[in-house]
Amino acid sequence: SANHDILIIGWDDSYQAANFTNPPSGNGAFICQNSWGNQFGENGIFYVSYEDARIRETCVSYAVIENTDNYGQIYQSDLCGWVGQIGYGSDTCYFANVYTPTGNETLEAVGFYATDRNTSYEVYVVERFADTSSLVVWEPDVAGSFETAGYYTVPLEETVSLAAGEPFAVLVKITTPDSPYPVAAEYQADEMTQNVTIDDGQGYISNNGYLWTRTEQQYGCNICLK
């Protein structure tokens, strides 16, 4: 099984099958970069046949890469990231996280996962969070859809002013067709995620946007929402 991440940086349709120790049936290879330094392969570059059984099994593509200094602060509790999914057996679900600003700041964007294709969303910002009744809101700050699954940063149509020490909430209504559990969450699932801690989050989930359940207490997980 696959056990290592590599970066595909190109391809060569004419790369000869005979170059491989175990020659495939046809020519052609992905040009890949490894993480083992330039002493490996050709200055860190190597080739993987198009016919390799594993290279297409688990893969991620990056369509947009933003600068690392685009925002001055990030609030998050899902440091591990998407481990599994939760929901109510329906393709539509509401999820929210509560944060406390460390200073007077401006909220500019929200980040979350689409767990499958053709996901639509509505994002709401609650500037003052008191309790779950604060999460009953009506007008989204931004709405849209994603054609493919993945992690997305969604800029707000209008920025939101936040006051130091005043808890605020970000709420997302998400619809992912044919997915009974459309919300990404992190939790302890196996030895790879055994160090995940959930006591750093205040997450909520709802099937209707009115009645909310605390995810850390009920499901033992953090909501993936930044």
Side-chain angles (χ1 to χ4, degrees):
S1 61
N3 63 359
H4 184 60
D5 287 342
I6 59 174
L7 182 66
I8 298 176
I9 60 175
W11 59 89
D12 183 352
D13 292 337
S14 61
Y15 191 82
Q16 296 298 301
N19 291 336
F20 292 104
T21 302
N22 298 305
S25 61
N27 296 335
F30 294 108
I31 304 172
C32 302
Q33 184 173 4
N34 211 342
S35 56
W36 296 341
N38 58 14
Q39 299 303 308
F40 175 82
E42 300 174 2
N43 292 318
I45 306 301
F46 69 110
Y47 298 83
V48 178
S49 169
Y50 289 158
E51 298 179 20
D52 185 87
R54 293 288 180 252
I55 196 167
R56 293 168 293 178
E57 188 176 69
T58 303
C59 54
V60 176
S61 64
Y62 297 88
V64 177
I65 302 295
E66 299 187 24
N67 292 328
T68 56
D69 61 352
N70 54 357
Y71 302 111
Q73 177 71 282
I74 180 171
Y75 293 98
Q76 60 183 335
S77 58
D78 58 318
L79 300 181
C80 181
W82 179 5
V83 174
Q85 297 164 223
I86 60 175
Y88 291 95
S90 168
D91 63 2
T92 297
C93 192
Y94 297 76
F95 60 100
N97 265 350
V98 177
Y99 308 100
T100 301
T102 56
N104 294 326
E105 299 171 340
T106 301
L107 181 63
E108 298 184 1
V110 175
F112 56 94
Y113 293 95
T115 57
D116 210 333
R117 296 174 295 175
N118 301 317
T119 291
S120 59
Y121 64 87
E122 296 176 358
V123 174
Y124 305 78
V125 178
V126 178
E127 298 179 35
R128 299 289 186 272
F129 176 85
D131 52 38
T132 54
S133 65
S134 303
L135 299 176
V136 180
V137 291
W138 305 104
E139 294 295 330
D141 290 78
V142 64
S145 61
F146 307 123
E147 184 177 353
T148 59
Y151 177 79
Y152 293 89
T153 300
V154 178
L156 299 177
E157 293 182 354
E158 295 185 7
T159 59
V160 177
S161 296
L162 306 173
E166 291 285 346
F168 73 98
V170 173
L171 184 160
V172 179
K173 176 185 178 183
I174 199 164
T175 300
T176 305
D178 301 321
S179 176
Y181 306 103
V183 179
E186 73 158 12
Y187 49 86
Q188 293 180 346
D190 51 31
E191 64 178 16
M192 298 296 293
T193 57
Q194 62 183 341
N195 294 324
V196 165
T197 59
I198 63 169
D199 57 3
D200 58 344
Q202 186 177 348
Y204 297 90
I205 190 173
S206 173
N207 68 342
N208 56 18
Y210 295 96
L211 300 176
W212 293 85
T213 299
R214 181 75 182 272
T215 59
E216 289 82 7
Q217 297 171 356
Q218 184 70 26
Y219 301 107
C221 68
N222 283 331
I223 295 295
C224 293
L225 175 59
K226 306 178 189 295

